[in-house]
Amino acid sequence: MLLSDCSINSRCEIVSINLPNDETIRLCELGLSKGTKLKICQLCPFGSVLVSKGTERIGLSSQITNLLEVKYI
Amino acid sequence: MTKTIALVGNPNVGKSTLFNMLTGQNQKIVNAPGTTVTVAKGYWRDKTVIDLPGLISFIHNSVDEQVASQALMDKKSSLYPDLIILLADAMHISRSLYLYSQLKQLNKPIIFAISMADIAKKRNIILDTDLISKTISAPTVLIDSRNKKSVSFLEDSIYEVLYNIENSKENSKDAAVSNLSLWAKNNFENNIKWVSDVEKKLGVFDYDKITLSDRVDKILLNKFFGILFFLLVIFSVFQLSTYISFPIIDYVDGPIRNSLNLAFLNIFSEGVWQSFVQSTLIETIFTLLEFIPPMFFIFVSLAVLEGCGYLSRAALVSDKLMRSIGLEGKSILPIIIGFGCNLPAIKATRVLKTSEIRRQTAFIIPYSLCSARFSIFIVLSHAFFPKNAGIVIFLLYLISVLIILLISFVMKNFRYYYNKWHNIPQTNISNLVIHLPVYQMPKFAFILKSSFAKLQNFLWGAGRVILGVLICLTFLQSVSFAADNTSKAENSPTVHNSLYGVIADNTALIFAPLGFGDWHFSQAIISGFLAKEVVLGSLENSYSDSNKSLSSNLQTTLAKTSSDGSYSNSLTSLAAFSFMLFLLIYIPCLATVIGIKSEFGLKFSFIAVGVSLSLAYVVSLLFYQIGILFVS
C-alpha cells in the first residue's frame, strides 16, 4: 500500500522506498527510512500529506507519497 | 587575524534570524566564490559571521549544499570558519544530530545551539544541555533566536570557545577525513545509528500528543478549506502591497511633494540649482518614497507569515501547482506580489531556500503586470481603444501570465537537460519533504525592526543609483541641440531640442519596425526604464513641448494622435498595442534592476535586462509585422 492511500489518523510503517539509491539516502537523512513509524495527521490539498514522527510534523509532497510503500501498524 | 564564525544548520531552523540578531544591520550579501549562490556576511564585535546556505548533509544534493560544504572543508575558501555554530530546531533535533555526526569529522570547534527551546519547554520537552553536551562532546546552549537576552548565552559560549582556541598550545587540527562527502556516503548507516543511539540516551523525543498546532493544521491544511485559506492569505498580501499602499503613495506624491517643491522654490532662486533640486533631488526622493509603503507591507507580512509558521504550510498547499512549472510551492508568493509591485516581489524571493529556484522566480517576476504598468495601460487603452479598453487590459494581463508560464516552461526544460548532461538528480528530494515548524505568535517588535533594516538597506543602495541616473537625465535634457538660433538662445531648451531629444529621435529609428518610431514614444520608453510611473508624465511633457497651445489632458491628446494624426506622428491601433506590449515586457524599472542586482549579482541582472529587452522587441515586432499583413 502506498502512503498516499492511507487514511487520516492511521499509523503506518515505511516498508520500502521506490527511489534510486542516492535519493533513498537523502530521504533517510530527512528522517524517512525503512522502518520509520508515522501517523497520518492530515490529507492536504493536491495530494500532499501531513505526517507526524515523534515531535516532528512533516509535510510530504504528493510526488513522495506515491513512492513510499507502507503497512498499517 | 579576524576570526570567522559560520552559522550552519538545516534549512528553516532560524539561522538567518540568529544571524540578524548577532550582526544587526552590519551585514552584506556576497556571492560564494565561483558560484551564484549568495551568502550573508556580517560582523559581530570584531568577528566575521557567515550565514551559510541550509545544509542537510555533506552528501550534497544541490548547489547551495555544495557551497556550504565546500566553505566548511576548503581551508583556502574565504568563507572557511574558525568556529562552527550548528543551529538545531528543538522539535526536529535528530536531523541536526545527523549533520553533527559529519561535522565533527572536520575537527573544528562546534557549538550546538538549540533554537525553539521556548516551544519545547511549553510542550514539557526537557532538553538537558549538560546531558546533550556530554553525549555529543560539544558545548550546547538553548536559544530563542528572536530574543536578545537568550542569544547572550550563546555569545558567552562563543567567547569561551574562541578564548580556548586562542590560548590553546595545539595547532588547529586538520580534518579527520580528506573527502567528507565520500566518508559521509560510506558511513551513512553508522551515522544514522549513532543519531538513534544519542536520541535513546537523551530520551526526550518520544512525544506524540495532539497539539494546538495539529488542531490548527486540521483546518488550515484541510483538503478544501486549506485552498480557501491559502487564497485568502495570498489575496491579503496582494491587497497590502497595492490597494492599502496606493492612498499612502498618492498622499506622498500629492500634497507632500507639492509642499516640498514649494519650500525648495522659496529657498533656491531660479536657475541651475533650482532645476537640479527639482528634477533630480526631489525626483530621487519621491521615486524612492513611492516604493516604501508596498515594500514595508510586504516585508512585514512575509515576516509575519514566516514567523507564525504558515509560510511552510503555504509551500505544501501550492507545491503541486508550482512544481508543474518547475518552481516550488513558496514561489507563488513572490509571483503574486509581483502583480502588485515587482521590487518587493524580488525581495520576497528570500523566502525561497534553493538558489536556482530563487533565480528562476526572480527571472520571471519582472514580466508580471505590476500596478505601475496597470496605471499606464488604463490611460493608453482608453485613449487608443476607447470602446474596448477593458478587453485590452484583460488581454495584457493574459499575455503577462502566458509569458511567465512560457519562460518558466523554457527554464524548466533547460534545467532538465542541464541536469541530465551533468548527471545531477532531476528532483531535489529535500524540496518534497517539508519540516513544518510549530505555529507561534510572531514577535512584532522584532519584525518591525528587521523590516526597517531591510528598507534602510534598499534605500541606501537604490538611492545612489537612481540619483546618478537622474543627474545624467537632467544633464541630457539641459544641453541644447537646437538647429536654429532662436531656440539656442532660450535659457531652458525644450525636451525635443535637448541632447535627450536627439537621443530619443535616434532611438525612435530602432522602434520604427515595431510601429512606434516616433520620438514621443521612444523618450517615454527611455524614461520608463527609471520608473514606469514616469512614462505618462514624460509623454505629457513631450506633447505639450510639441504643441505649446495644448490644453487638453494626455488621454485626449493620445486619442487625437490615434484618430486624426493632428500631431507630429499618429499611432495606429496596431502600433499602440505594440507599444503597450513593449511596455509590458521590457524591464519594469531601475529600482527592480537594482533589487535583482543586490540579490543575485551584476551578471544575473544584466542577463535579466538583456532578455527582457530582446523579448519585448521580438514580441512587439512579430505582433506589429504580422498584424500589418492581416490589417492591410
Side-chain angles (χ1 to χ4, degrees):
Chain A
M1 179 177 64
L2 295 174
L3 184 72
S4 53
D5 301 327
C6 287
S7 55
I8 197 163
N9 290 328
S10 61
R11 283 167 195 276
C12 58
E13 182 183 323
I14 300 175
V15 289
S16 80
I17 299 168
N18 302 324
L19 274 170
N21 193 37
D22 281 359
E23 293 174 25
T24 305
I25 289 180
R26 174 42 58 112
L27 209 56
C28 293
E29 290 176 328
L30 292 164
L32 298 169
S33 55
K34 208 171 151 182
T36 304
K37 292 176 178 68
L38 305 167
K39 183 186 169 193
I40 313 294
C41 293
Q42 186 64 44
L43 301 175
C44 311
F46 304 115
S48 299
V49 176
L50 171 65
V51 297
S52 78
K53 182 197 156 207
T55 54
E56 296 182 54
R57 298 294 178 268
I58 308 171
L60 300 174
S61 146
S62 58
Q63 236 174 309
I64 283 287
T65 57
N66 292 323
L67 297 169
L68 298 179
E69 277 191 46
V70 295
K71 64 172 184 189
Y72 282 132
I73 49 171
Chain B
M1 208 177 129
T2 316
K3 298 281 181 210
T4 303
I5 303 166
L7 293 184
V8 182
N10 297 146
N12 296 324
V13 289
K15 277 186 290 96
S16 302
T17 314
L18 176 63
F19 177 77
N20 289 335
M21 187 59 98
L22 283 174
T23 60
Q25 289 171 37
N26 194 10
Q27 53 179 263
K28 59 180 177 179
I29 306 288
V30 292
N31 271 23
T35 70
T36 48
V37 177
T38 52
V39 174
K41 201 172 181 177
Y43 300 93
W44 170 74
R45 315 284 157 87
D46 59 337
K47 317 282 183 284
T48 306
V49 185
I50 288 160
D51 180 14
L52 288 175
L55 181 64
I56 290 165
S57 149
F58 277 76
I59 313 169
H60 39 75
N61 202 240
S62 66
V63 189
D64 297 59
E65 283 192 309
Q66 197 174 353
V67 165
S69 55
Q70 202 63 38
L72 294 166
M73 290 190 293
D74 184 6
K75 274 191 167 179
K76 288 174 191 160
S77 167
S78 55
L79 306 172
Y80 187 70
D82 298 286
L83 165 67
I84 296 167
I85 297 174
L86 173 59
L87 196 62
D89 179 340
M91 311 306 292
H92 301 160
I93 208 162
S94 59
R95 289 187 302 141
S96 304
L97 285 172
Y98 175 75
L99 181 57
Y100 177 80
S101 71
Q102 299 175 355
L103 276 173
K104 66 181 179 182
Q105 302 303 317
L106 293 171
N107 278 334
K108 282 267 150 213
I110 302 171
I111 296 175
F112 196 65
I114 305 175
S115 66
M116 315 267 185
D118 48 332
I119 295 167
K121 199 177 171 186
K122 277 182 201 162
R123 287 187 166 197
N124 295 324
I125 298 172
I126 312 297
L127 292 161
D128 182 344
T129 48
D130 289 339
L131 181 63
I132 299 172
S133 180
K134 208 172 150 190
T135 312
I136 67 170
S137 312
T140 304
V141 283
L142 298 182
I143 57 162
D144 171 7
S145 305
R146 305 171 305 166
N147 185 329
K148 187 83 185 164
K149 202 176 165 188
S150 155
V151 173
S152 66
F153 293 119
L154 175 65
E155 292 179 327
D156 292 345
S157 195
I158 297 172
Y159 267 125
E160 200 180 318
V161 174
L162 288 177
Y163 179 82
N164 290 340
I165 296 172
E166 276 162 17
N167 292 287
S168 166
K169 284 176 185 167
E170 284 179 40
N171 288 329
S172 64
K173 287 183 197 167
D174 283 334
V177 288
S178 55
N179 187 337
L180 192 47
S181 299
L182 190 65
W183 179 89
K185 209 166 181 176
N186 292 338
N187 290 276
F188 156 72
E189 282 177 3
N190 291 338
N191 288 338
I192 294 275
K193 190 176 174 303
W194 179 82
V195 173
S196 162
D197 290 345
V198 171
E199 278 189 316
K200 276 178 198 157
K201 272 186 197 168
L202 301 179
V204 289
F205 306 106
D206 188 19
Y207 183 86
D208 202 16
K209 265 187 196 167
I210 292 177
T211 62
L212 181 63
S213 254
D214 294 332
R215 288 195 195 100
V216 176
D217 274 336
K218 290 267 177 214
I219 304 164
L220 301 192
L221 289 180
N222 178 280
K223 259 185 175 176
F224 307 103
F225 293 120
I227 299 172
L228 283 179
F229 188 77
F230 172 72
L231 291 175
L232 183 72
V233 168
I234 298 274
F235 178 74
S236 310
V237 174
F238 182 75
Q239 291 289 91
L240 272 172
S241 69
T242 51
Y243 295 103
I244 294 185
S245 302
F246 276 169
I248 306 171
I249 296 172
D250 284 346
Y251 184 72
V252 169
D253 206 25
I256 295 184
R257 190 187 191 122
N258 291 341
S259 35
L260 200 69
N261 261 329
L262 210 65
F264 277 112
L265 278 177
N266 291 333
I267 297 169
F268 298 98
S269 55
E270 207 169 310
V272 179
W273 274 109
Q274 195 196 76
S275 156
F276 172 75
V277 167
Q278 269 196 310
S279 53
T280 47
L281 264 184
I282 293 182
E283 199 61 48
T284 305
I285 292 168
F286 282 93
T287 304
L288 290 172
L289 282 181
E290 282 169 17
F291 282 113
I292 290 178
M295 284 187 74
F296 181 72
F297 284 129
I298 292 299
F299 285 150
V300 170
S301 47
L302 286 180
V304 169
L305 288 177
E306 191 153 33
C308 73
Y310 184 72
L311 208 54
S312 303
R313 269 99 180 159
L316 191 65
V317 172
S318 56
D319 180 80
K320 198 172 183 179
L321 192 71
M322 298 313 288
R323 209 164 285 285
S324 63
I325 56 167
L327 297 171
E328 65 174 69
K330 280 183 194 169
S331 302
I332 199 164
L333 265 165
I335 292 172
I336 298 284
I337 293 165
F339 281 90
C341 183
N342 287 183
L343 178 62
I346 294 288
K347 297 283 177 189
T349 56
R350 283 186 188 182
V351 298
L352 306 169
K353 301 296 174 196
T354 327
S355 64
E356 57 179 17
I357 300 286
R358 272 192 76 200
R359 273 181 288 145
Q360 188 175 334
T361 309
F363 199 83
I364 56 173
I365 283 171
Y367 300 98
S368 46
L369 200 160
C370 64
S371 53
R373 284 168 171 136
F374 178 74
S375 59
I376 304 171
F377 293 149
I378 288 273
V379 175
L380 295 183
S381 57
H382 277 95
F384 293 115
F385 310 93
K387 287 178 189 162
N388 300 305
I391 296 172
V392 168
I393 289 175
F394 174 74
L395 266 178
L396 289 166
Y397 264 114
L398 199 66
I399 291 166
S400 166
V401 173
L402 283 176
I403 289 171
I404 287 173
L405 293 177
L406 181 78
I407 293 175
S408 300
F409 178 77
V410 170
M411 291 180 91
K412 182 186 171 184
N413 282 291
F414 174 79
R415 207 168 64 223
Y416 173 81
Y417 287 109
Y418 180 87
N419 288 350
K420 201 174 173 184
W421 185 258
H422 291 88
N423 284 327
I424 299 170
Q426 291 297 347
T427 314
N428 187 343
I429 297 290
S430 319
N431 293 338
L432 305 175
V433 179
I434 304 166
H435 286 81
L436 302 177
V438 176
Y439 285 111
Q440 56 183 322
M441 188 57 86
K443 294 204 169 167
F444 286 98
F446 177 77
I447 285 172
L448 288 176
K449 202 177 156 194
S450 64
S451 300
F452 275 121
K454 283 176 193 162
L455 259 184
Q456 200 181 334
N457 276 345
F458 160 73
L459 293 176
W460 178 241
R464 286 176 297 176
V465 182
I466 292 174
L467 181 66
V469 172
L470 275 167
I471 288 174
C472 290
L473 271 180
T474 314
F475 172 75
L476 292 175
Q477 287 178 357
S478 61
V479 177
S480 176
F481 249 72
D484 58 291
N485 292 332
T486 349
S487 294
K488 268 184 183 172
E490 286 175 9
N491 280 336
S492 53
T494 60
V495 177
H496 199 197
N497 289 336
S498 67
L499 183 56
Y500 181 68
V502 173
I503 293 171
D505 257 340
N506 286 296
T507 321
L509 298 173
I510 301 170
F511 295 118
L514 278 60
F516 46 93
D518 173 43
W519 82 274
H520 295 98
F521 297 97
S522 60
Q523 65 85 30
I525 283 172
I526 295 169
S527 53
F529 186 74
L530 185 70
K532 285 287 171 288
E533 290 87 343
V534 182
V535 167
L536 292 178
S538 62
L539 270 176
E540 202 159 8
N541 274 345
S542 70
Y543 275 107
S544 57
D545 210 31
S546 307
N547 190 343
K548 297 277 184 195
S549 60
L550 190 76
S551 57
S552 54
N553 66 18
L554 179 68
Q555 198 168 303
T556 325
T557 311
L558 288 173
K560 278 184 185 172
T561 66
S562 160
S563 57
D564 62 23
S566 57
Y567 296 107
S568 58
N569 259 325
S570 61
L571 273 196
T572 60
S573 301
L574 211 57
F577 197 77
S578 167
F579 177 61
M580 288 158 90
L581 271 180
F582 196 92
L583 285 176
L584 170 70
I585 304 170
Y586 93 111
I587 208 84
C589 60
L590 185 61
T592 300
V593 178
I594 297 166
I596 295 174
K597 192 230 145 206
S598 72
E599 295 291 318
F600 305 96
L602 191 64
K603 192 177 162 190
F604 184 79
S605 60
F606 269 121
I607 295 172
V609 172
V611 170
S612 78
L613 280 173
S614 316
L615 190 67
Y617 195 88
V618 170
V619 171
S620 298
L621 180 76
L622 287 175
F623 170 81
Y624 185 71
Q625 293 299 332
I626 295 171
I628 281 177
L629 294 178
F630 284 99
V631 172
S632 61

